[in-house]
Amino acid sequence: MESIKVFAPATVANVACGFDIFGFAVDSPGDELIVRQSAQPGVRILDIIGDEGRLPREAARNTAGIAIQSYLAHIGRDDVGVDLILHKKMPLGSGLGSSAASAVAGVFAINELLGNPLERIDLLPFAMEGERIACGSAHADNVGPSLMGGFVVVRSYNPLDIITIDTPHQLFATIVHPDIEVNTKDARYILKNEVSMKNTITQMGNVAGLIAGLMKPDYSLISRSLVDVIIEPIRAILIPQFKEVKQAALDAGALGCSISGSGPSIFALSCDQNTATNVGNKMQNAFASAGIGSEVYVSEINQQGPKIIG
Ligand code: HSE
């Protein structure tokens, strides 16, 4: 194989109570990446479409480029040369795991191109390198689900321990992306370094409750557990209309609603597709009432992760 085109899905990280440890993948949006073998060793970015010229074209500063470079260094194939064409099919700085999807597309594509010398799960540390340069932190709650599909728990970062858990088939996610941008670095900077014992206990109960609720499945338990008392109250100030949009989702029957990743996108979970669609309309209206335009995505939990599309 000399060339491959892949898709890697967007993700919702944190999922309310699981800051840096929970994430799930959705069917759309996502990034597309073409990786072509070249006679000249090294990684080059030929073109990036859909980013309005904002992403670095230098491979070592681009999430897909750095992920491929660290993968090639690890397997001792510095002789390999590849040219990349990245098609960004999701907004930047949106809280949808845009940098993660590019990094995952990169490592998945190069591994396929070279005949899969590494298992899928072993690609994760290289994709995390992409996150490190994108936002200063190598968190895995976007790259994990984008790479593995499904709902992912990062049980430990050191050593890295990733678990994929079952979710109910009827569970649908609604994501509303308002036309504003939040930088992940900034959204992490404003967080407090210390958490009270009271909030820790509440959050641990919700973390355990959400996992149990998803696996049983028990929608009422999922609903009661989709609560974040630590991060959401701080980050909500970065998103105009957050309170109104969240209330609109809950009034329309969502099981729960919170910030997607570091925002500004807001996600909701619902127990069927019709409700998820209606929830999206109501959330969009709540943004519109303050003059903020938005895009709505409704999707099942994507179980596949990245895939070859050409
Ligand atoms: N867990 C990360 C955060 C996700 O909330 O900062 C960023 O996309």
Side-chain angles (χ1 to χ4, degrees):
M1 208 192 311
E2 293 193 340
S3 172
I4 189 171
K5 184 175 182 185
V6 304
F7 165 88
T11 41
V12 170
N14 301 338
V15 199
C17 50
F19 178 68
D20 276 0
I21 62 165
F22 287 170
F24 63 81
V26 292
D27 289 336
S28 76
D31 276 354
E32 291 177 8
L33 179 71
I34 297 171
V35 180
R36 280 191 207 127
Q37 293 227 41
S38 150
Q40 190 190 344
V43 182
R44 284 159 301 276
I45 297 175
L46 296 191
D47 197 8
I48 302 178
I49 303 149
D51 72 327
E52 292 161 358
R54 294 173 52 202
L55 293 176
R57 266 55 182 170
E58 189 192 328
R61 291 179 53 233
N62 177 281
T63 64
I66 191 87
I68 296 178
Q69 284 178 337
S70 21
Y71 167 91
L72 289 173
H74 174 83
I75 63 164
R77 292 295 309 272
D78 292 335
D79 58 307
V80 171
V82 284
D83 294 333
L84 314 183
I85 299 173
L86 177 61
H87 196 161
K88 292 299 301 176
K89 291 200 146 180
M90 67 172 108
L92 310 181
S94 58
L96 292 167
S98 173
S99 53
S102 298
V104 165
V107 287
F108 175 74
I110 189 71
N111 197 45
E112 286 283 339
L113 211 53
L114 298 181
N116 287 312
L118 296 190
E119 297 289 326
R120 177 93 66 101
I121 185 72
D122 296 327
L123 302 176
L124 193 58
F126 314 114
M128 286 169 69
E129 282 309 306
E131 289 293 60
R132 193 191 305 281
I133 59 151
C135 65
S137 149
H139 53 268
D141 51 345
N142 289 113
V143 279
S146 185
L147 181 67
M148 304 308 293
F151 188 109
V152 163
V153 176
V154 186
R155 193 212 53 86
S156 157
Y157 274 89
N158 190 16
L160 197 55
D161 188 359
I162 302 286
I163 305 153
T164 303
I165 65 153
D166 289 339
T167 51
H169 297 304
Q170 303 91 326
L171 194 67
F172 274 79
T174 307
I175 305 172
V176 181
H177 170 241
D179 297 340
I180 50 173
E181 214 170 286
V182 169
N183 182 288
T184 298
K185 251 184 209 163
D186 299 339
R188 293 183 79 85
Y189 182 75
I190 61 166
L191 300 177
K192 294 188 181 129
N193 281 323
E194 314 235 310
V195 180
S196 71
M197 181 63 88
K198 183 168 173 266
N199 280 347
T200 304
I201 292 167
T202 305
Q203 200 89 347
M204 285 196 298
N206 287 329
V207 162
L210 182 56
I211 295 302
L214 290 169
M215 292 183 75
K216 275 165 99 91
D218 179 336
Y219 287 112
S220 167
L221 179 55
I222 293 171
S223 181
R224 297 197 302 281
S225 307
L226 279 170
V227 176
D228 172 12
V229 295
I230 296 176
I231 307 295
E232 183 186 298
I234 299 172
R235 283 186 169 170
I237 55 166
L238 300 175
I239 308 171
Q241 287 296 99
F242 176 77
K243 220 173 110 210
E244 290 78 3
V245 172
K246 178 171 176 169
Q247 194 57 51
L250 297 176
D251 290 348
L255 297 168
C257 174
S258 186
I259 302 168
S260 175
S262 54
S265 292
I266 302 178
F267 83 96
L269 289 177
S270 299
C271 55
D272 63 74
Q273 189 169 13
N274 282 346
T275 308
T277 304
N278 188 35
V279 162
N281 292 337
K282 295 289 163 47
M283 291 168 76
Q284 189 167 45
N285 290 347
F287 271 125
S289 69
I292 301 168
S294 63
E295 278 164 288
V296 180
Y297 306 96
V298 175
S299 167
E300 292 175 275
I301 309 296
N302 169 295
Q303 301 296 338
Q304 189 181 7
K307 60 183 178 188
I308 300 170
I309 54 170

